[in-house]
Amino acid sequence: MTLLAILAATLAAGIGSVWLAAGLMRLGFRGQGGVQTATHVGPQHLLSLAAGALLATSFMHLLPEAFESGAGAEALFSVLLFGLVFFFLLDKAELWHHGHEHHHADGEHAHGRHVDDDEHRPRVGAWTVLAGDSVHCFGDGILIASAFAADRRLGLVAALAVLAHEVPHHIGDLAVLRVSSGNRRMALVKVSLAGAVTPLGGLVGWWLVDRLHEFLPYFLTVASSSFIYVALADLIPQLQKRLTAAETGAQIFWLLVGIALVMGASQLVHTAH
């Protein structure tokens, strides 16, 4: 039953997030240049929600579960530190690249920096997006499986957090691939295939944790380091812009919504059990 739950959750987080992103884009969710007003929900608000969900899952669920296992605090904090450094190095190698502001056809900017005509090469960018996305989705699957191995409620919360931060990411992926291929359907197929790697990661994670159960607290800590890295090194920096008081308030509101979403989902699953 645990394996079936892992596969279902990783399918929802991996492929479901792609289709949800495509649906939001069809509804015109991207907005003009990704700039949103305080009164309209847009990509910036999704980033805030995703950051809140990831941080809440890490600090309120994954890390407490790891520390309650009886593993030494010093060892777990060491794993957390090396996990953050590891994901930083993967990001530098473009293997954990998870930027949500990708290059656009009008050459706006990515990660807050200007992209000139020489830098903007959609074909290269598309392959980088797919490679990095596939590796990241595989890692997400392993992390979700680790959470399920500890507790089914924890697994569902982790899957929800992954889903929340994959949606704005896939919106960017689809935008890049539509520019490079000029075909919306093909872009959706390619990103869906990358998302389909998530269940594969879930299967591998289930196999690993089942045989290395004594290392489960460390798997959970690595999962936390991944979520914290994405939230603090990727999502939140993109929200550090000069905004009006109303727009800043909207960001804070959606950050709190992300935290409340994780808390509410956890409570709902706990009540159901």
Side-chain angles (χ1 to χ4, degrees), residues 35-39 45 48 241-254:
V35 178
Q36 307 296 326
T37 65
T39 56
H45 301 145
S48 297
K241 301 178 179 179
R242 290 188 177 182
L243 301 174
T244 65
E247 290 170 335
T248 300
Q251 284 187 345
I252 295 172
F253 170 77
W254 284 101

Side-chain angles (χ1 to χ4, degrees), residues 93-177:
E94 295 291 333
L95 292 176
W96 205 253
H97 183 69
H98 219 56
H100 297 72
E101 291 184 9
H102 295 291
H103 300 177
H104 303 309
D106 56 2
E108 289 175 43
H109 61 279
H111 288 289
R113 69 181 173 87
H114 178 70
V115 179
D116 59 34
D117 292 336
D118 290 333
E119 284 185 296
H120 181 58
R121 302 182 186 275
R123 186 175 301 175
V124 175
W127 282 111
T128 300
V129 165
L130 288 175
D133 202 18
S134 297
V135 173
H136 195 107
C137 287
F138 185 82
D140 282 341
I142 293 178
L143 303 183
I144 291 173
S146 300
F148 266 102
D151 181 76
R152 183 166 297 185
R153 179 181 62 168
L154 189 62
L156 291 173
V157 170
L160 177 63
V162 169
L163 175 66
H165 90 270
E166 286 293 352
V167 170
H169 167 63
H170 287 316
I171 289 177
D173 286 348
L174 290 168
V176 170
L177 293 177

